[in-house]
Amino acid sequence: MGRWLFNIYRLGVKELRSLWADPILLFLVVYMFSFAIYAVATGAKTEVSNAAIAYVDLDQSDLTGRIVNAILPPEFDTAQRIELSDLEAAMDSGEYVFVLSFPPRFEADVIAGNYPSVQLNVDATAMTQAGNGAVYLQQIIASEINRFVTGDDEASALPINLVITAQFNPNLQSIWFSSVMQIINNVTILAVLLTGAALIREREHGTIEHLLVMPVNASEIMLAKIWANGLVIVIGAVLSLALVVQGVLQVPIAGSIPLFVAGTVLYLVSVTGLGILLATFTTSMPQFGLLAMPVLVIMNLLSGSTTPIESIPVWLQTVMQISPSTHFVAFSQAILYRGAGFDIVWSDMLVMIGLSVLFFAIALSRFRRTMATSQ
């Protein structure tokens, strides 16, 4: 056992030295846990922000003016008035996300109780902005019409006192979600790429033959690659949480970082095993990249890190339970967002342990066959 552990340690040190000597991979690790987190968190917002809006006013009344003046930043840009004849061309060109159209005698019909129609044209190619922005505009129009009809500039009291409490993200900022989830996604990507690249690098440099004649076995080689590359990823993830997420982006972390690290280590055993497994089916980095790309896309898109897992079909939810990323995302969200303890996340950790054993066993079996054919 002592010799086995020593071999794993020395081979892992060799892996770290190989990674240190590869400037491209080093740059990739630094970039993925720094600028990539910041750029996605600040650039890919899901809330409505500075949406371009225009209006067609065929009534030109006090009421339409009040509605237009109530459409304010930061959700919307200043509303631009256009002619009815320009509406279709403006929407086709993508110049505006929203265009309001007020009909003639709009104010008179409101006063008379004739329920006039206001047309809201929405460019739904930007789905999130379109959906949320349409709701905001409906609320603005309804509020201004209500105030105009009642003659009371104060909001009318509801028959109930509705108190909305947003848990875990009180200001509903997408940056709180996207920054942390980008770290989770990057852990998956790097775990697959680094371990797979490590095996491919052995073949391309001819050092795999050196390993075959050394008194080491396949499990020692695999575990060395897993702990060495996993260590780099864990350090990168923790530093990114502390420096980029909490430091630069000012996003609070609710739960225990040591518990998150423990779950990340369990997850890395399975996902690095997947990287080695994929690398055994390829002979070069381009082949490995083409094989890993669709696997990573599916794992990230259907893991719950981009959209809620409940939003995908039930049969696909069942299939995705065999993916370790699904359980790691649920585990990470519970700890980092909601401050969950071990008593809540133990089931996800137990599943990750089982999947780690399964993926490691499959990868080890395939790796042994690959080494046997190389001799």
Side-chain angles (χ1 to χ4, degrees):
M1 177 61 72
R3 168 58 79 180
W4 185 73
L5 291 175
F6 180 76
N7 287 343
I8 292 173
Y9 167 73
R10 294 303 301 172
L11 288 171
V13 171
K14 179 189 75 69
E15 288 295 327
L16 291 174
R17 289 175 176 172
S18 298
L19 180 60
W20 182 256
D22 193 328
I24 301 299
L25 284 181
L26 276 179
F27 173 79
L28 177 65
V29 172
V30 174
Y31 168 80
M32 293 285 276
F33 284 124
S34 57
F35 181 75
I37 306 297
Y38 178 84
V40 171
T42 58
K45 295 183 177 181
T46 56
E47 63 263 28
V48 179
S49 178
N50 299 318
I53 183 170
Y55 66 97
V56 176
D57 192 354
L58 301 180
D59 187 39
Q60 300 185 34
S61 62
D62 179 55
L63 178 55
T64 57
R66 291 180 57 153
I67 293 173
V68 170
N69 290 334
I71 302 172
L72 300 171
E75 288 82 12
F76 302 95
D77 278 339
T78 302
Q80 305 295 319
R81 183 175 178 180
I82 62 174
E83 299 299 324
L84 180 61
S85 57
D86 298 329
L87 190 154
E88 186 174 346
M91 293 297 294
D92 289 344
S93 65
E95 187 175 354
Y96 300 105
V97 180
F98 305 98
V99 177
L100 279 169
S101 181
F102 298 102
R105 294 184 49 79
F106 174 69
E107 181 182 296
D109 286 339
V110 168
I111 295 174
N114 293 332
Y115 297 97
S117 298
V118 177
Q119 185 180 52
L120 175 59
N121 301 274
V122 182
D123 180 0
T125 55
M127 292 187 300
T128 302
Q129 270 202 336
N132 294 340
V135 172
Y136 294 163
L137 289 171
Q138 290 177 48
Q139 294 173 345
I140 291 171
I141 294 170
S143 176
E144 291 303 318
I145 290 177
N146 183 56
R147 292 175 181 178
F148 178 80
V149 171
T150 61
D152 185 2
D153 282 339
E154 298 296 328
S156 299
L158 295 173
I160 61 171
N161 183 25
L162 178 63
V163 179
I164 300 176
T165 303
Q167 296 285 349
F168 316 119
N169 188 355
N171 295 320
L172 304 179
Q173 299 181 56
S174 63
I175 191 173
W176 285 31
F177 176 81
S178 57
S179 59
V180 176
M181 284 300 98
Q182 191 61 27
I183 291 179
I184 304 307
N185 289 338
N186 289 352
V187 166
T188 301
I189 294 171
L190 286 175
V192 172
L193 292 183
L194 290 185
T195 50
L199 183 56
I200 298 296
R201 186 168 56 237
E202 301 277 13
R203 290 175 177 170
E204 292 180 341
H205 293 175
T207 53
I208 189 68
E209 287 79 7
H210 297 169
L211 291 176
L212 293 176
V213 298
M214 292 176 63
V216 295
N217 55 45
S219 64
E220 293 170 347
I221 297 173
M222 269 193 63
L223 287 172
K225 295 184 183 300
I226 288 173
W227 84 254
N229 291 286
L231 177 64
V232 172
I233 294 170
V234 168
I235 292 174
V238 172
L239 289 177
S240 185
L241 278 173
L243 301 179
V244 180
V245 175
Q246 292 180 292
V248 178
L249 299 175
Q250 297 295 303
V251 177
I253 299 300
S256 168
I257 297 298
L259 182 59
F260 169 72
V261 170
T264 303
V265 171
L266 295 177
Y267 173 66
L268 285 173
V269 175
S270 61
V271 78
T272 50
L274 175 62
I276 293 175
L277 178 64
L278 294 177
T280 61
F281 291 98
T282 62
T283 57
S284 65
M285 280 301 297
Q287 288 182 355
F288 174 69
L290 290 174
L291 181 60
M293 189 180 303
V295 174
L296 290 172
V297 168
I298 292 174
M299 288 179 66
N300 285 341
L301 288 181
L302 301 181
S303 64
S305 64
T306 304
T307 56
I309 191 70
E310 295 80 9
S311 65
I312 66 177
V314 175
W315 69 268
L316 194 52
Q317 293 183 41
T318 304
V319 171
M320 287 306 295
Q321 295 308 305
I322 65 172
S323 171
S325 61
T326 302
H327 303 280
F328 182 56
V329 167
F331 164 87
S332 302
Q333 289 178 346
I335 293 176
L336 301 179
Y337 291 144
R338 300 188 289 273
F342 179 77
D343 58 321
I344 294 177
V345 300
W346 67 269
S347 58
D348 287 314
M349 296 183 74
L350 189 62
V351 173
M352 285 193 290
I353 291 175
L355 291 175
S356 294
V357 172
L358 175 64
F359 275 82
F360 181 82
I362 295 174
L364 180 60
S365 175
R366 173 67 188 176
F367 185 51
R368 280 173 174 164
R369 288 201 301 269
T370 302
M371 291 184 64
T373 57
S374 300
Q375 290 178 329

